[in-house]
Structure formats: C-alpha cells, structure tokens
Amino acid sequence: MRSRMGSRQAEGDHDRTPEGSEPAGADTVVDEPTGEVKEWQLRLYVAGETARSTAALANLRRICEDHLAGKYSIEVVDLLVRPQLAKGEQIVAIPTLVRRLPEPVRKIIGDLSDRDRVLIGLDLRPKD
Amino acid sequence: MSARMIEHCPTGIAGLDEITSGGLPAGRTTLISGGPGCGKTLFGATFLVNGARVGEPGVFIAFEEREDEIIANAASLGYDLQQLVDDGLIEIDYVQVNRDQIYQTGDFDLAALFIRLDLAIRTSGAKRVFIDTLEILFAGLDDTVALRSELRRLFGWLGERGVTSIVTAERGDTSLTRHGFEEYVSDCVILLDHRVTDQLATRRLRIVKFRGSAHGLNEYPYLIDDAGISVIPITSFDLSYAASTEIISTGIADLDAMFEPGGLFRGTTMMVSGGSGTGKTSFAASVARAACARGERASYFAFEESVSQIVRNMGSIGVDLTTAIDDGNLQIVAGRPTQIGLEHHLSVLHRHVERVRPSVVIMDPITDFEALGSHDDIKAMLVRMVDFLKQRGITSVFTSLTSRYDTEESSVSSLIDTWIQLSNEERDGRLVRAMYVRKSRGMAHSERVRVLELDRNGITLRRVDDETERKDAIQDGQPAGRG
C-alpha cells in the first residue's frame, strides 16, 4: 500500500514526474516492459536530480546488471516531488536504497560507490 | 533585526519566561542539553503545547519515542496532545533510525529529513519546532563529519524558516553536549541537570548562553509534576521589596500588646523557637487564624502533624481552625519534609503561593529541613524562601525546635524580623511555659518574660508576678526592682 506513490521507471529518461500528477507506475514498477513481478524489488530515494543521486542510480544499475540480471526492478522516488513518502519507509538520508524484496527489508544509504559494501548491504555477498 | 532587539517566544513554562526576560529567542534555535531523565522531552512538549494554545502550531520531530509514547508521556503532565494533533495544531513525526537496518555505502546527506520537516511545517503552518534528539542520528549513522555538516545546515535552515525551535542533546562527559552541538547553536543554550544526592532528586536549570539578552546566570531549580514544568527563579529576587508599615494582629491579644504598635508589620518573618511541647504550634496557628478572620488566606505547611491532629489540638486551646478551613481561607499542607528535597520544597512553596495567594505562610517546623542538607544548604534555601515571601508581601511564621538555629550566632537569625522564644521552666515547684520576645525589628517591644497559658479559652500571656520576680532576683543575688 505504501508503494502507491510517485515512482517511475528506472529505465528510460529521467524527467521528473510533474508535481501533483500520478506517476505512470502502479504498485510495482519494473524495468521490463512486460511488467513481470521480479524477485528483487529495489527502490532508490533521491531528492532532485543531484550528481550524487545520478551517480547512485548509475552505480545501482551496474551492480544489478552484473549480479541480478533479469531478476530485479528499480523504482526511483524523488522526495522533492513526493515528500510525503519519506515518512512511510522512514527515510532520513539521501540517497537511500531500500531492498523491499526479498525480505527482510534493508536500507543502504550513500551514493553506492563502494561496490563491495553495496553487495554486502544487499546480502549478495557475505560479510567476511 | 538588530542583535540587541531579540524578540522573545514565550515558552509558557512558569519561571523560564521570567529568567529569559520573556522566552526563547524568536525565530532562532535553542539547544537544551541534559542527561537522561532530566525532562528534555517534556520541556519541548510543553513548549509546543503552550504554543498551540496561543494559536502557534508546532512540529515535533521525534527520534526517540513513537507518537503514542509521546502522547502518553505528555498526558502525565496533564496535556492532551492527541487532541492537539487531531486539531492540526501539533504534528508529530516519528523518525526511526535503526542501525541494524541501515548500511552505509558512500556519501549521503540528510535531505530526506529536511523534506520531512519542511512538509510537516507547511502542513501545520508551524511556528514552533521541537527536535528530540539529534543524538540518535549519530548512533544510527557512521559518518560523523557528514552529520555535523548537515546539522549545521539544519540549524541555519530552521532560522531561515522563521520558526522558533528547540533541539535537544545528551550532555557530554566533558562538554556541554556529546557531539558538540553547542558550536552550531549560537543563540540560546540551556543546560538541565538532574542530580540525586542522599536519595533526594534535585533538578536544576542553567542558561548557558542567551545572545542579545540579559539572563540570570544562576542555577534555577525546576519541578516536573502533574501540573507541568515550573522553573523557580527564586535567586533572582533581591532586597527591593517595599517594607509595609501596616500592622496586623498575631491573633493573640496579649502578644500584640507586647509590641509597641500593637501587632506585627505585615510581610515580616516571625520565628517561634522552643523545645518540644512549649506551644510553638499554637502561636503559628493563631497567626494563621487571625489572617483568615480578616478574610485573607493562610497556608500552613505542617511537617510533623496531620491536618486532623493540628485541628484537634488547636481546638482544645480555643484556636478554632475548622471555620477557616471550611471557608477555604486556610489550607493545611501536611507531609514529611524528607519526602522531597530542599529545592523541591521551594518549588512546592512557590507553586502553592502562585496558586493560592495567601497573605500568611506557616512552616512548622523549619528544623525538619535539617535532614535534607548541610547547614549552608538549608540556610541558602531559607534565605530564598524568606526573600520570595517578602517579595510577595507575605507574612510568615517559622517554628523551630530548639536546636542549633537558636543560637544568636546562627546565621538564620539575620533572616528573622521577630523572634519569640518559648521554654518550659520550673517556677515555685511547678512547670510553666515561659515566653519572651527575643527581638523585633523596627519596633519597641516588651522585654519581660511572660508565662504562657494554654487552655480552652485560648492563649494568655500572663505577666510574671512582681513578687515572684523579686524573689527570683534576690535569690540570684541581684538587686530587686528591675523588669
């Protein structure tokens, strides 16, 4: 229910969702045109199109393509457009990546530039 | 705005607005620092509630407690926060930072927190913001440098929004706050201290910094109970009170006659000292009853006897207190003083006086304070108590069980305007109660020893038979005819 929100497809252009309008996505936004529900549901919270947010999204895409190809969807939520969504998932820092599925929910903050730490954070690589 | 002309935002916290000359710096951020259990959250909640009551909505950003916990805690002070939330006057946003769920991978900022705060301010039209407590961010996130820079930005941002805010911080071991927030907050810093000494809790508040405004430098005791928070600015009283020339009756005709003007000056302090069973309470109760008979209110703080004991005992010597109690003019507050600390006593007295506005206050006996602190502590408290009562023009009577306070050298005597000494003495083979006026400032008074008689008809002070006195004098080897 929290996911009925200002999300948009990660693929495609990066135009901001106009304020007040409903975004194109439904409950689940996937990066595949088929709309298939993916095993990995990731959501990236940003605040405007900053260099850090852009970098975080690019880093995330690369990591997903390398490790989760075909199994993931990325949803980007811009809190400048949808400020009310920050409360629901207890977002404080920007950027914050939320692994919504598989459970348990995990949060990874920062620009995702440290690939190893992102993999550990996503539980794609064990801590050692 | 000129730096000299800081506007004040009243907190509505009794006493705090007095010592800050009107409240917190309006449109600025105030830092409240203190250890656990000192009441930081309740200060902030009170600030918001009182704002809401005067039509200034507020935002509560809570890092430590959930909304329902905050509402329950505020209820302990008598605040219906839920109603204010329902009315849209207070917006509570619980910000959960759970370290176990958060993994850090590179640079970040707190933009989401700013966005949440901004949304809450806009939604409620807030004029006041309370953030409790930013420490949690440091516990949940690792990058201290980033956090510090973000918090600096936050305080600046709050200032630009024109809201008056309070942020809380944990007190550090060697610094004012654990993470040095005081560096960023330049307008107002308040330190709360909660000490437990000899199992007695003392809460004190100090204003460490208050830009552009005069403020008291002292520590002020404060009290948190079901009537909310009150800060007791007792040390700010000075000796500027006006001395009354009005004469009031002590309620004992014979005693009044011992003073040249026929009674005591209103607003002065009388001490009645003597051993056990010498009749101290009867003097104190008479002064209280006389005030009530004039249609004034009197407050009687009884530390050793219950209300019914006092009423019964006084009734047996013709001092009827029931009428005054029934009329609502006399309030007897009975309780062991050891139940609360010295500061707390002051707070209780202060609050009581503010509420009841008595013209006479009785403390029976002040020697019971001895258990609560050193001689200096007690003296300091009595000075503040006397100053406070005099400031209000309240006549007070302290009884004192014969003790170290009774010596002339005792510093307490300087506080006392009229001092009555009672004793049990043996005269002609029988025990009599003797009394004399040890001193009475600003008026001539009889120096003769009287015999105090307490019976169903009331209190009589009989002149000692000249014959007896002469005999005593001769026995002592002194010439007769004095006195």
Side-chain angles (χ1 to χ4, degrees):
Chain A
M1 89 217 142
R2 249 184 227 140
S3 49
R4 186 174 297 283
M5 54 181 48
S7 51
R8 62 197 163 83
Q9 297 240 275
E11 302 297 302
D13 66 28
H14 285 174
D15 287 347
R16 303 287 125 200
T17 306
E19 188 150 11
S21 74
E22 278 301 313
D27 281 356
T28 306
V29 179
V30 295
D31 63 343
E32 298 290 326
T34 57
E36 180 190 344
V37 175
K38 300 291 185 179
E39 188 184 338
W40 282 73
Q41 287 183 21
L42 305 173
R43 181 181 283 171
L44 183 66
Y45 285 91
V46 299
E49 202 167 342
T50 62
R52 197 176 280 156
S53 300
T54 309
L57 182 57
N59 290 333
L60 178 61
R61 280 227 193 83
R62 274 196 297 273
I63 292 167
C64 289
E65 278 307 309
D66 290 350
H67 293 85
L68 297 167
K71 294 194 288 183
Y72 72 96
S73 65
I74 299 173
E75 181 185 17
V76 178
V77 174
D78 185 348
L79 292 177
L80 287 184
V81 180
R82 297 266 158 182
Q84 66 277 17
L85 299 186
K87 190 169 181 172
E89 268 188 315
Q90 287 293 358
I91 306 303
V92 175
I94 290 295
T96 295
L97 170 65
V98 179
R99 184 187 85 175
R100 310 187 74 215
L101 282 179
E103 288 184 328
V105 171
R106 284 167 160 256
K107 288 179 191 163
I108 300 170
I109 64 170
D111 59 13
L112 311 179
S113 54
D114 187 335
R115 192 181 183 98
D116 288 343
R117 285 184 66 85
V118 176
L119 291 175
I120 295 168
L122 286 173
D123 213 12
L124 284 170
R125 175 181 297 175
K127 274 189 234 185
D128 46 25
Chain B
M1 195 195 317
S2 150
R4 292 185 175 281
M5 290 292 292
I6 277 193
E7 281 182 54
H8 292 266
C9 174
T11 61
I13 295 171
L16 184 57
D17 292 338
E18 264 179 69
I19 57 178
T20 53
S21 318
L24 305 179
R28 315 281 180 106
T29 300
T30 292
L31 173 67
I32 295 185
S33 174
C38 67
K40 299 186 291 290
T41 303
L42 295 176
F43 265 84
T46 304
F47 170 69
L48 293 184
V49 166
N50 288 332
R53 285 174 177 169
V54 297
E56 290 191 1
V59 166
F60 192 145
I61 301 290
F63 284 92
E64 284 191 304
E65 295 167 302
R66 290 193 318 272
E67 186 168 351
D68 56 330
E69 292 171 323
I70 287 165
I71 288 170
N73 291 343
S76 72
L77 298 189
Y79 300 143
D80 190 349
L81 218 49
Q82 185 64 58
Q83 186 62 50
L84 294 170
V85 169
D86 294 345
D87 293 346
L89 287 167
I90 289 183
E91 178 93 8
I92 303 176
D93 187 358
Y94 168 52
V95 180
Q96 188 187 30
V97 182
N98 188 345
R99 192 183 180 90
D100 299 338
Q101 272 192 17
I102 297 175
Y103 204 73
Q104 202 171 308
T105 64
D107 294 343
F108 65 91
D109 59 37
L110 297 180
L113 178 65
F114 283 65
I115 287 168
R116 287 169 78 161
L117 187 50
D118 179 63
L119 179 68
I121 291 173
R122 280 191 288 121
T123 306
S124 58
K127 300 273 185 288
R128 301 182 178 206
V129 168
F130 177 47
I131 303 181
D132 183 42
T133 164
L134 294 167
E135 304 279 347
I136 299 293
L137 287 172
F138 286 87
L141 305 172
D142 286 326
D143 191 342
T144 312
V145 175
L147 283 176
R148 283 170 173 275
S149 114
E150 282 299 277
L151 292 183
R152 189 186 294 273
R153 190 161 74 93
L154 174 68
F155 295 138
W157 181 87
L158 285 168
E160 287 163 22
R161 301 301 305 246
V163 293
T164 305
S165 2
I166 295 179
V167 297
T168 59
E170 287 289 325
R171 195 170 177 181
D173 290 334
T174 55
S175 57
L176 210 49
T177 64
R178 196 181 295 164
H179 295 285
F181 294 165
E182 62 269 27
E183 281 176 44
Y184 318 137
V185 179
S186 53
D187 293 308
C188 182
V189 178
I190 295 174
L191 185 63
L192 301 182
D193 187 30
H194 182 208
R195 263 171 281 183
V196 179
T197 317
D198 296 335
Q199 297 175 343
L200 290 168
T202 336
R203 298 172 189 271
R204 290 170 201 247
L205 172 151
R206 188 157 61 90
I207 296 171
V208 180
K209 185 149 71 171
F210 200 117
R211 177 172 288 185
S213 180
H215 66 87
L217 293 167
N218 296 309
E219 283 193 318
Y220 302 95
Y222 65 97
L223 185 65
I224 298 175
D225 63 16
D226 56 1
I229 300 173
S230 41
V231 178
I232 315 301
I234 291 197
T235 45
S236 68
F237 291 117
D238 50 27
L239 295 173
S240 62
Y241 37 77
S244 173
T245 52
E246 185 190 344
I247 297 297
I248 56 168
S249 170
T250 61
I252 304 169
D254 290 347
L255 180 60
D256 290 344
M258 290 179 78
F259 302 109
E260 188 261 333
L264 296 174
F265 288 123
R266 182 183 288 282
T268 54
T269 302
M270 177 164 94
M271 184 151 88
V272 182
S273 58
S276 182
T278 50
K280 298 182 296 296
T281 295
S282 59
F283 278 76
S286 293
V287 175
R289 190 187 59 162
C292 297
R294 292 191 296 269
E296 300 165 13
R297 280 187 292 278
S299 298
Y300 195 122
F301 292 87
F303 301 134
E304 295 195 336
E305 292 175 290
S306 69
V307 177
S308 63
Q309 256 179 310
I310 292 172
V311 170
R312 182 199 65 199
N313 296 348
M314 292 302 104
S316 74
I317 54 164
V319 180
D320 168 41
L321 298 177
T322 49
T323 310
I325 291 173
D326 292 346
D327 291 347
N329 287 337
L330 177 61
Q331 295 216 16
I332 303 180
V333 182
R336 292 275 173 203
T338 45
Q339 285 165 354
I340 56 177
L342 285 175
E343 301 288 359
H344 201 133
H345 273 287
L346 271 177
S347 310
V348 167
L349 174 69
H350 190 277
R351 178 172 285 170
H352 178 93
V353 165
E354 290 295 314
R355 185 168 54 83
V356 176
R357 305 209 170 269
S359 72
V360 166
V361 164
I362 313 289
M363 293 274 162
D364 182 22
I366 57 165
T367 28
D368 274 17
F369 291 134
E370 280 177 9
L372 304 183
S374 70
H375 182 71
D376 286 348
D377 288 345
I378 294 160
K379 195 209 165 195
M381 184 198 67
L382 289 173
V383 167
R384 288 156 70 181
M385 199 175 260
V386 167
D387 282 352
F388 167 67
L389 293 170
K390 288 196 168 179
Q391 190 86 16
R392 307 292 163 115
I394 295 170
T395 309
S396 52
V397 180
F398 298 162
T399 70
S400 165
L401 198 63
T402 300
S403 76
R404 51 187 166 169
Y405 293 112
D406 277 357
T407 58
E408 202 67 64
E409 306 79 56
S410 161
S411 41
V412 174
S413 83
S414 64
L415 299 173
I416 306 299
D417 298 302
T418 302
W419 191 345
I420 289 169
Q421 178 72 52
L422 303 177
S423 61
N424 287 328
E425 290 177 10
E426 194 203 303
R427 285 182 190 252
D428 295 337
R430 100 194 146 92
L431 201 63
V432 296
R433 291 191 173 94
M435 75 72 65
Y436 68 99
V437 178
R438 206 151 150 176
K439 76 168 181 184
S440 194
R441 279 179 183 154
M443 57 173 65
H445 58 90
S446 166
E447 291 179 338
R448 297 175 69 138
V449 174
R450 305 293 171 106
V451 171
L452 166 63
E453 286 176 352
L454 304 172
D455 61 31
R456 199 158 289 285
N457 302 317
I459 301 170
T460 331
L461 299 171
R462 195 168 49 76
R463 281 174 171 242
V464 177
D465 184 334
D466 281 352
E467 195 58 33
T468 315
E469 213 167 42
R470 194 173 298 124
K471 266 190 285 181
D472 288 350
I474 289 165
Q475 274 175 358
D476 290 347
Q478 292 188 359
R482 270 196 322 118

